[in-house]
Amino acid sequence: NMRLVSGDPVVSSTGVGNVSSVSVELMVIGAMRLDSGNYTCIATIGFVVSLRNVSISVLFLTPSVTVSAPNTQTVGQSLTLECSVTSVRGITGRVVIVWRSNATELERMMGVSVSSTTSNSAVYTDSYTISQLSTSDEGRVYQCEVVINTSPPVMATGNVTLDVTGAI
């Protein structure tokens, strides 16, 4: 949603004659990443045409990803990890969540749509369950990688390191 905002002409004297100038600005209301690009202002006075190019990059915040685990992690017990994704306004797309441990992909969840264009944020959660903790899980890092399929894709990750009791 763009609108042109025009200022009133400002007349000033240079000592040689009167010079009239008009201040005009383009406001991008509710800017989104898709508004990034090159813009050209064209001013015409009689037969004189003046061009001014400007490149605009709309900056945005990446989603916040938090991975949590219960405080008690015991050998032989099951454990469910929670991944909470908070997207920011202006990011809309399909979410892909990949669970990893030590760079090995464990599970991939695809397809949920996130739309946060009309509110400040959108929250999505996913979980991964380890059926039986072992001593080898002590110190293991689990990662929740989130990709929101926009153009270009937006990616963020969150990690948790296990502290398994009963591990030798």
Side-chain angles (χ1 to χ4, degrees), residues 34 37 61 93 141:
L34 295 175
L61 301 172
V141 176

Side-chain angles (χ1 to χ4, degrees), residues 16-68:
V16 178
N18 285 334
V19 175
S20 179
S21 66
V22 177
S23 174
V24 178
E25 64 183 28
L26 175 67
M27 289 178 55
V28 181
I29 300 167
M32 297 181 72
R33 290 174 22 162
L34 295 175
D35 293 317
S36 294
N38 297 315
Y39 291 82
T40 303
C41 176
I42 303 170
T44 305
I45 301 173
F47 294 106
V48 178
V49 177
S50 179
L51 300 173
R52 178 66 63 156
N53 295 312
V54 65
S55 179
I56 297 175
S57 296
V58 177
L59 302 178
F60 62 97
L61 301 172
T62 58
S64 169
V65 178
T66 305
V67 181
S68 59

